[in-house]
Amino acid sequence: EEAAQAGIIPLLKRVIEASSPLKQFALPILCDLASAGKSCRSLLWQHDILNLYLRLLSDQYFQVTALESIYLWLQDETARVEDHLTQGNNISSLVSCFVSAKTNSFENLLDPFLKITRLSGHLAVAISKPEFFERLLDRVRHANKAVVRLNLLRILRVVCDANPNRAALVERFGVLQAVERLSQKDAAVLVRELAREIIPSLNGVSPISNTVSTTPRAPPPPDRRRVRRTASETSFSSLGLSTNSNGSTRPTALAPRHPSSRPRVALRSKLTPRQTSPAPT
């Protein structure tokens, strides 16, 4: 931030736009400023650095760094950056970067693209262009690396879920058929599992709302008040009392007791005759 306050931003911009040999050193410094503090980003707005990042998306050597800087800036100032990216040809710059990227750069672009679409639903809808879907589905079918297919499926799910015309997009570009093929024939287990998770949402079905819980419900807890009342009634009945509906007690007839089945044992007196002492003489 101190360097930005000292005026380094216009100097770095001049070096980059002049295609100087120092560009490879100036550009990483300028891109790192996107994650600086609020005062530094204010200076970046003044010098139109966000548009410079967008122009760098067409440079195969710096497009990954530029896209990561755009994501970091979007993360800190989501509403303002989102509004700027959806204006004019800025969305076309993002889509062109995705469509025209070379193999190595394309693989590295997927992670910041996924983060951007997750962070901003408006941008996820805005990039839903025919050329975007064509490139995405082509790489889904022919990418050699499983991690690439995984990231492409994640981007596809985010873009389709954010789009209000999801059913039309799925039908127009044959998205469902491509995902079903991956769910059945892909060599990677994680790719097959993710494809199976995506299929219900592509069909317009929410797996959460259509899943019926088969877990048995727990029985209701016992009524403690009723248990206490029964205990009190039991004690009353043992005393020959009962309770009325209004809570008062009344005597009840007790059942006759049955004679004990144990034989009675006659009590014998164990007292010895009283001894008398001789009269005094």
Side-chain angles (χ1 to χ4, degrees), residues 2 22 35 77 79 120 147 153 204 217-218 264:
E2 294 179 359
L22 299 176
S35 59
E77 296 183 83
S120 173
V147 65
L153 285 176
R217 294 183 178 180
R264 293 184 178 182

Side-chain angles (χ1 to χ4, degrees), residues 21-258:
L22 299 176
K23 177 180 178 179
Q24 58 180 335
F25 304 106
L27 192 141
I29 298 173
L30 187 61
C31 290
D32 286 342
L33 294 177
S35 59
K38 185 176 180 181
S39 60
C40 183
R41 288 195 300 271
S42 177
L43 294 172
L44 293 176
W45 282 112
Q46 293 179 16
H47 295 283
D48 199 24
I49 301 302
L50 184 55
N51 284 329
L52 176 62
Y53 292 161
L54 290 170
R55 291 194 297 271
L56 289 172
L57 293 178
S58 59
D59 190 328
Q60 61 177 336
Y61 298 106
F62 300 107
Q63 58 188 179
V64 176
T65 305
L67 188 62
E68 289 176 347
S69 299
I70 292 173
Y71 162 69
L72 293 173
W73 203 341
L74 177 68
Q75 192 176 23
D76 292 330
E77 296 183 83
T78 304
R80 188 175 181 183
V81 176
E82 184 181 70
D83 291 341
H84 186 83
L85 293 178
T86 53
Q87 294 176 1
N89 296 324
N90 295 335
I91 284 294
S92 299
S93 299
L94 289 171
V95 175
S96 298
C97 174
F98 185 85
V99 171
S100 61
K102 304 297 181 183
T103 302
N104 294 334
S105 297
F106 183 80
E107 295 175 1
N108 296 324
L109 285 170
L110 295 180
D111 185 61
F113 255 108
L114 177 61
K115 293 177 180 178
I116 288 173
T117 52
R118 282 178 173 173
L119 186 60
S120 173
H122 293 292
L123 292 176
V125 175
I127 64 174
S128 301
K129 306 292 184 181
E131 57 270 26
F132 175 84
F133 274 96
E134 291 172 0
R135 179 68 190 277
L136 189 150
L137 294 175
D138 177 72
R139 300 313 304 158
V140 162
R141 298 186 186 100
H142 301 103
N144 295 325
K145 297 181 180 180
V147 65
V148 174
R149 298 194 297 275
L150 277 174
N151 284 331
L152 288 170
L153 285 176
R154 293 181 182 125
I155 294 173
L156 179 65
R157 176 167 60 179
V158 173
V159 171
C160 289
D161 289 346
N163 205 303
N165 299 322
R166 175 177 52 189
L169 289 174
V170 171
E171 183 179 358
R172 178 180 178 185
F173 299 106
V175 177
L176 182 59
Q177 292 79 3
V179 176
E180 285 179 342
R181 183 177 179 276
L182 288 178
S183 67
Q184 298 170 2
K185 300 182 179 181
D186 196 274
V189 176
L190 293 178
V191 175
R192 293 199 303 268
E193 292 179 353
L194 182 57
R196 292 179 188 134
E197 292 178 7
I198 296 175
I199 288 175
S201 63
L202 296 179
N203 285 321
V205 178
S206 175
I208 297 177
S209 61
N210 289 278
T211 301
V212 179
S213 176
T214 57
T215 305
R217 294 183 178 180
D223 192 349
R224 295 184 178 179
R225 291 177 297 180
R226 181 60 186 168
V227 172
R228 295 194 189 99
R229 187 177 179 183
T230 304
S232 63
E233 290 174 359
T234 304
S235 62
F236 279 131
S237 62
S238 64
L239 296 175
L241 300 174
S242 63
T243 57
N244 295 325
S245 60
N246 57 1
S248 62
T249 60
R250 57 183 175 82
T252 58
L254 297 175
R257 294 184 178 180
H258 296 284

